[in-house]
Amino acid sequence: MSLENATANLKEFGKELNLEGLAFDENHTCILGIDNVFSLHLTYEPNSQRLYLYAPILDGLPKDKETLCLLYEVLLEGSMLGGQMAGGGVGVAVKEELILMHAVIEMVAADTSSLRRFAPVFVEAVEKWRDIAKRICESRYDEKKEREALRPYHQGPGGSQQPTQGQSHQGKPGDLFKRV
């Protein structure tokens, strides 16, 4: 049943893109070129009944250790709980020098429009992170300014304001949280 749902989602997505006949190959994968810049991979995994979306953020890791460390820090911070990555995250294949961004749609509970609705959000996030990774690698990344832009505020449980990086908290542990 889930494979049929994934296939229906892909067909619906194809209609949205004016790509009639969009289909999974024998490995349950469909690869789309996005503006001749990067590829969006859609893979249905029968055992988990999930549709995986993934795309390269960077092909070729920086050789400079400081730049590589900054890249990893920024990507990990952005993927915290999927917050800046459309609910997904990133993975690194060091030997292949590849960084992928990924997300999942559960096909058991999804309607046939789930992929059509989610893919633009995912592609937008991939484009943003590709740009950030490129600027880091080219030493054009203003760390302080851009990190603050990625997290305009931190809201704690119960609406209490959390200190952002660089701010200190004076008091005892738990003071910043509203007790329920």
Side-chain angles (χ1 to χ4, degrees):
M1 183 75 164
S2 293
L3 177 57
E4 291 83 11
N5 192 13
T7 302
N9 264 275
L10 189 59
K11 185 176 181 179
E12 182 78 18
F13 184 48
K15 286 180 189 175
E16 179 79 13
L17 300 174
N18 293 320
L19 296 172
E20 296 297 322
L22 203 56
F24 292 115
D25 64 15
E26 64 278 357
N27 297 316
H28 303 290
T29 297
C30 179
I31 302 172
L32 300 170
I34 306 297
D35 297 330
N36 294 321
V37 176
F38 67 93
S39 56
L40 170 63
H41 299 244
L42 306 163
T43 299
Y44 175 73
E45 208 295 305
N47 293 330
S48 66
Q49 299 182 5
R50 293 176 171 162
L51 181 63
Y52 292 91
L53 290 80
Y54 50 102
I57 296 295
L58 189 65
D59 190 8
L61 297 175
K63 303 301 179 218
D64 174 59
K65 297 292 183 194
E66 191 173 314
T67 303
L68 182 62
C69 186
L70 175 62
L71 176 64
Y72 285 167
E73 276 184 38
V74 172
L75 288 169
L76 284 171
E77 188 173 313
S79 70
M80 179 81 69
L81 301 176
Q84 298 291 326
M85 296 196 175
V90 292
V92 178
V94 177
K95 288 181 182 176
E96 292 80 8
E97 295 194 25
L98 179 66
I99 297 176
L100 290 179
M101 187 171 135
H102 56 83
V104 176
I105 301 174
E106 300 283 345
M107 285 291 104
V108 174
D111 63 45
T112 58
S113 299
S114 295
L115 176 60
R116 178 182 54 79
R117 287 190 311 268
F118 179 67
V121 174
F122 182 77
V123 168
E124 183 179 327
V126 168
E127 289 172 333
K128 176 183 88 173
W129 283 104
R130 286 178 58 85
D131 178 60
I132 290 170
K134 180 181 177 185
R135 286 186 285 119
I136 289 171
C137 292
E138 294 173 350
S139 299
R140 296 185 301 117
Y141 183 79
D142 182 343
E143 186 174 354
K144 184 176 179 178
K145 176 183 167 190
E146 297 199 43
R147 282 190 175 189
E148 288 303 317
L150 286 175
R151 60 172 199 287
Y153 63 91
H154 286 272
Q155 199 73 17
S160 62
Q161 190 71 25
Q162 298 295 304
T164 57
Q165 187 176 4
Q167 293 179 330
S168 65
H169 166 63
Q170 306 299 325
K172 53 188 179 187
D175 282 352
L176 293 173
F177 294 96
K178 186 176 183 178
R179 303 269 185 227
V180 213

